[in-house]
């Protein structure tokens, strides 16, 4: 990332023991100071991110408790400041259906207060319920609810990640598979103290939106 205001922050953090990996096609001044420089193919950052996700899911290194919180109250009960939509159900009769609402699945009347709530499977009862009423939701869901086929966001994400092997992602990214495994291992070794900063490099491509979205999902995986 270019702005000079960041340089002293990175330098001081490295002095204080921060581990830094840099993904960049070129050996930049920041990459020179990294523990690991990952010279990704220009524009292939999404493949690298999905390769990391593949390793993280394969090795169960994601934050399950965080991902199972479906809404604000459940997150706050676990002392989490945020939550994700990983457990929310998606209508999949079409290839890219919207997320299901409580009224869509006949859980409540159309004029009910929770009619527009997203829907999850309650981990305690195994029943579909409005997300705002559930403390812990089932992460992996592929089933029929009253004749309507639904999948969780997590299941769709996992299936997308598993379209390719780690080695295939590595080939797309122009990076060794062992390198992807090493940086994914490092990234998931610090709990919530890890973070990814991405800027124009991954974004300024025809596939830039999808590059940055794939990178962002890695942050969700570690909560």
């Amino acid at each position: 990332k270019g702005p000079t205001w960041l340089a002293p922050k990175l330098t001081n953090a490295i002095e204080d023991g921060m581990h830094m990996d840099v993904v960049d096609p070129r050996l930049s001044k920041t990459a020179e100071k990294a523990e690991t420089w990952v010279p990704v193919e220009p524009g292939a950052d999404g493949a690298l991110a999905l390769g990391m996700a593949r390793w993280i899911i394969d090795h169960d290194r994601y934050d399950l408790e965080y991902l199972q919180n479906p809404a604000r109250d459940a997150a706050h009960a676990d002392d989490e400041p945020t939550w994700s939509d990983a457990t929310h159900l998606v209508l999949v009769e079409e290839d890219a259906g919207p997320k299901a609402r409580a009224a869509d699945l006949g859980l409540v009347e159309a004029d009910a207060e929770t009619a527009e709530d997203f829907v999850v499977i309650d981990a305690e009862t195994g029943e579909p319920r409005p997300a705002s009423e559930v403390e812990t939701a089932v992460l992996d869901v592929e089933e029929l609810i009253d004749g309507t086929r639904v999948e969780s966001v997590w299941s769709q994400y996992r299936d997308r990640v598993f379209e390719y092997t780690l080695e295939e992602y590595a080939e797309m990214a122009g990076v060794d598979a062992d390198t992807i495994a090493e940086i994914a291992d490092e990234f998931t070794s610090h709990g919530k103290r890890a973070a990814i900063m991405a800027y124009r490099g991954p974004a300024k491509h025809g596939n830039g939106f999808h590059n940055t979205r794939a990178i962002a999902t890695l942050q969700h995986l570690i909560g």
Side-chain angles (χ1 to χ4, degrees), residues 38-41 44-52 54 164-181:
V38 185
V40 68
E41 286 287 322
D45 305 80
L48 176 64
L50 293 175
M52 290 177 64
R54 171 83 198 224
Y164 299 99
T165 65
L166 180 61
E167 290 72 23
E168 288 171 327
Y169 281 124
E171 183 177 357
M172 294 179 218
V175 175
D176 288 341
D178 287 346
T179 299
I180 296 180

Side-chain angles (χ1 to χ4, degrees), residues 149-162:
R149 192 162 65 91
V150 295
E151 296 177 359
S152 64
V153 170
W154 170 264
S155 293
Q156 293 200 324
Y157 174 71
R158 181 206 57 212
D159 289 348
R160 173 63 184 88
V161 168
F162 275 53

Side-chain angles (χ1 to χ4, degrees), residues 24-106:
D24 196 326
R26 66 193 182 99
L27 183 59
S28 65
K29 292 185 180 296
T30 308
E32 285 180 339
K33 298 171 177 60
E35 294 281 340
T36 304
W37 169 45
V38 185
V40 68
E41 286 287 322
D45 305 80
L48 176 64
L50 293 175
M52 290 177 64
R54 171 83 198 224
W55 187 93
I56 291 167
I57 296 172
D58 274 337
H59 293 81
D60 295 325
R61 294 286 285 274
Y62 47 88
D63 188 337
L64 179 62
E65 182 178 87
Y66 171 81
L67 293 171
Q68 286 185 303
N69 286 327
R72 181 183 58 189
D73 289 349
H76 287 178
D78 286 335
D79 293 323
E80 297 278 7
T82 65
W83 61 97
S84 83
D85 67 351
T87 58
H88 295 182
L89 302 185
V90 179
L91 302 170
V92 292
E93 293 303 321
E94 303 296 334
D95 288 340
K99 289 201 290 185
R101 306 282 183 164
D104 294 336
L105 298 179

